[in-house]
Amino acid sequence: MDVFGFQRSIIIILILILSIWPVRLSGRIAGWNLTRRTRARRKAIVARTNGEKEDYHEKERVSPKSEDAEWVEIESYPAGSATNGGQAPEDWEGIIAFFHPFCNAGGGGERVLWAAIKATQKRWPNAICVVYTGDHDATKSTILERVESRFNIHLHPPTVAFLYLQTRHWVLSSRWPHFTLLGQSLGSLVLGYDAFSLLVPDIFIDTMGYSFTLALCKFFFPRIPTGAYVHYPTISTDMLGSLDAGAGKGVNAGAGKGLRGFGKRRYWHAFARLYSRSGQDVDVVMTNSSWTQAHISSLWGQRRTKRRKPYPVEVVFPPVAVEDVEEAIELEGPKAIQREKVLLYVAQFRPEKNHDLVLRSFARMIHSTSTKETAGARLVLIGSVRDSDDAKSVYKLRLLAHDLKIEDSVLFVCDAPWPEVLNWLRKSWVGVNGMWNEHFGIGVVEYQAAGLICVVNDSGGPKADIVIDFDGQSTGFHASTEAEYAARFAEALSMPGEATVAMRKRARASSKRFTEEAFATKWVGQLGKLIDIQQAIKR
């Protein structure tokens, strides 16, 4: 045995431990200081919540409203079981903080946030749900009113609180014109410190994808359980692969060529290693699809295993307004309206949504297929225009439609309200998805619930989770290339009547896997694990 070699190894290990120890100690000291500084605000939040509870119940006793009936008797909600919250007691009274700096945006990520809070309130009525937000232009009442009008989700106001961040500009992409991925991630550390300066919660959950804030939480407060709901990985193996010329797809396809490409490749790989470390200590990880699950498991899984995290990465499908769509749209009977030969694509006007592929595919079908089924077909593109970049995208797409000689058969609908979207879902024939590696695809689920024949990209969530066989038969079509899309469009429009009706019914039945109730059941099961961890630590 090499005694001197063994001694050198021991010395090196001791040096490493001693070098890490001061850093960890500084984190604990900072965490203790943050806890001490925010103790008064915590007491104030609890006191205000108790006061609002009393006022709310008194108001409901005097003048009850039917839509709030479920909250009047909320204290009687059933206790937990292995599937609806583990052993976490019904009367748990801690503070759960949701890190969602853009909570008033009104998108699919926000639907997940509010549905999660509603499920939490119903399962643990004494818990306080705090949202860290940067939406200074919105009060609590205006935010909750928007939640009701946009998502038809009714929350229990007394047990929801909002804390306003001052440093949200640190995570805006406009602040980081270069090295954007790294810049926004480092900026989220500033935003995370801002959040903990306002309140140190009992449980901390990131619902927007800022995984560096989870690492920061563990650095300051190693005993606070952390959870993540991941809509998409900040970086993925598919993104890294897309840099290869001829092998990748998406907006960065082939960007790894030349000296600049070499630098981009090294930067992305270095960031991927850093991102892997950011998720290694997260206690409970949820993803919105099996595609996201696979990538997060690849990036975080090995490190989480080494850190002995007992819970694997779980898929919790986001809630979709399936019931609302079904109620509004009849597939059969006297209330069902005649479908038009319309191909509908609902997606934001962003480059990654691949509108140009859809336009070219539609033009190919129109110019190469001359059947009575495809004659007179129209393409309707519905999406939001967030800024000048989106407006430029729409302008370029209009020019492309003109160049393809299909401008008379294409309709652009910008910033349509939900009733107008619902009307198009009611009368369209085909639902289209063009994005490569869409992480989930809420719009595709809405297509299915509305009974559209889906033609989706042969990748990501739409392929793996949504447009899959139901009862052993197809619920739609997959395509990748312009030729494949054109062929699938024509096939969807040309199916026999009975086959079309049968596929519409299968698609609607399949969409029931993504209801708000299904989401709530999975959510409380995962949150129950965090509460169990928190209680075990307290004991």
Side-chain angles (χ1 to χ4, degrees), residues 89-127:
E90 179 190 0
D91 60 352
W92 186 78
E93 296 183 339
I95 294 179
I96 303 170
F98 294 83
F99 190 77
H100 207 106
F102 298 85
C103 77
N104 205 35
E110 286 66 58
R111 176 183 283 278
V112 169
L113 169 67
W114 305 124
I117 290 178
K118 180 176 180 178
T120 302
Q121 289 182 322
K122 295 184 73 174
R123 173 61 182 83
W124 292 282
N126 294 324

Side-chain angles (χ1 to χ4, degrees), residues 85 90 97 101 153 169 225 258 270 287 300 305 315 334 434:
E90 179 190 0
I153 293 176
H169 56 279
T287 65
W300 292 1
T305 300
V315 176

Side-chain angles (χ1 to χ4, degrees), residues 416-490:
W418 174 244
E420 186 175 357
V421 175
L422 197 61
N423 188 46
W424 281 109
L425 287 169
R426 182 181 293 110
K427 63 186 180 182
S428 297
W429 196 282
V430 176
V432 182
N433 160 266
M435 181 178 172
W436 174 69
N437 271 346
E438 180 95 64
H439 310 108
F440 179 65
I442 287 178
V444 179
V445 177
E446 291 174 344
Y447 295 159
Q448 289 191 326
L452 274 67
I453 305 300
C454 294
V455 179
V456 302
N457 197 274
D458 193 26
S459 65
K463 174 187 178 181
D465 296 319
I466 305 174
V467 184
I468 60 176
D469 286 356
F470 185 82
D471 286 342
Q473 293 183 284
S474 173
T475 59
F477 302 95
H478 303 143
S480 295
T481 65
E482 180 182 315
E484 290 174 353
Y485 268 102
R488 299 293 86 77
F489 289 164

Side-chain angles (χ1 to χ4, degrees), residues 115-279:
I117 290 178
K118 180 176 180 178
T120 302
Q121 289 182 322
K122 295 184 73 174
R123 173 61 182 83
W124 292 282
N126 294 324
I128 299 174
C129 296
V130 171
V131 180
Y132 296 116
T133 180
D135 295 303
H136 289 266
D137 57 340
T139 64
K140 174 178 175 176
S141 59
T142 58
I143 292 174
L144 296 185
E145 286 170 6
R146 178 171 168 80
V147 171
E148 290 187 15
S149 63
R150 176 69 180 86
F151 301 116
N152 195 30
I153 293 176
H154 299 266
L155 299 177
H156 189 47
T159 56
V160 183
F162 295 90
L163 295 177
Y164 292 88
L165 304 166
Q166 303 297 323
T167 55
R168 192 174 71 175
H169 56 279
W170 280 84
V171 297
L172 297 177
S173 58
S174 58
R175 188 178 180 88
W176 309 96
H178 307 291
F179 300 100
T180 307
L181 290 178
L182 179 62
Q184 287 182 300
S185 297
L186 296 178
S188 72
L189 294 176
V190 177
L191 198 57
Y193 184 83
D194 187 358
F196 297 129
S197 297
L198 295 172
L199 174 73
V200 177
D202 296 303
I203 293 172
F204 179 75
I205 302 175
D206 166 49
T207 50
M208 271 206 77
Y210 294 112
S211 63
F212 281 50
T213 63
L214 297 163
L216 184 67
C217 182
K218 286 296 186 182
F219 177 66
F220 288 147
F221 321 104
R223 293 169 64 85
I224 290 182
T226 56
Y229 187 94
V230 185
H231 296 274
Y232 54 89
T234 304
I235 194 165
S236 68
T237 52
D238 283 351
M239 286 176 62
L240 296 173
S242 72
L243 296 175
D244 296 328
K249 298 181 180 180
V251 294
N252 289 289
K257 296 182 291 185
L259 183 61
R260 183 184 180 90
F262 174 78
K264 189 180 188 74
R265 189 187 302 275
R266 295 297 297 269
Y267 159 54
W268 274 16
H269 278 275
F271 180 78
R273 289 192 292 271
L274 195 60
Y275 183 67
S276 296
R277 289 183 176 275
S278 72

Side-chain angles (χ1 to χ4, degrees), residues 319-376:
V320 184
V322 171
E323 297 95 333
D324 294 344
V325 175
E326 287 185 359
E327 184 178 344
I329 300 175
E330 296 282 349
L331 296 187
E332 294 181 301
K335 294 184 179 180
I337 69 170
Q338 183 69 32
R339 299 270 180 174
E340 301 175 16
K341 297 291 184 175
V342 169
L343 286 76
L344 178 67
Y345 188 19
V346 181
Q348 289 180 325
F349 289 108
R350 304 201 312 257
E352 64 268 25
K353 295 299 182 180
N354 235 348
H355 287 88
D356 56 342
L357 172 63
V358 175
L359 283 169
R360 294 180 188 280
S361 303
F362 178 72
R364 184 170 185 143
M365 181 195 74
I366 292 295
H367 297 319
S368 64
T369 306
S370 56
T371 66
K372 64 177 183 178
E373 288 81 11
T374 59

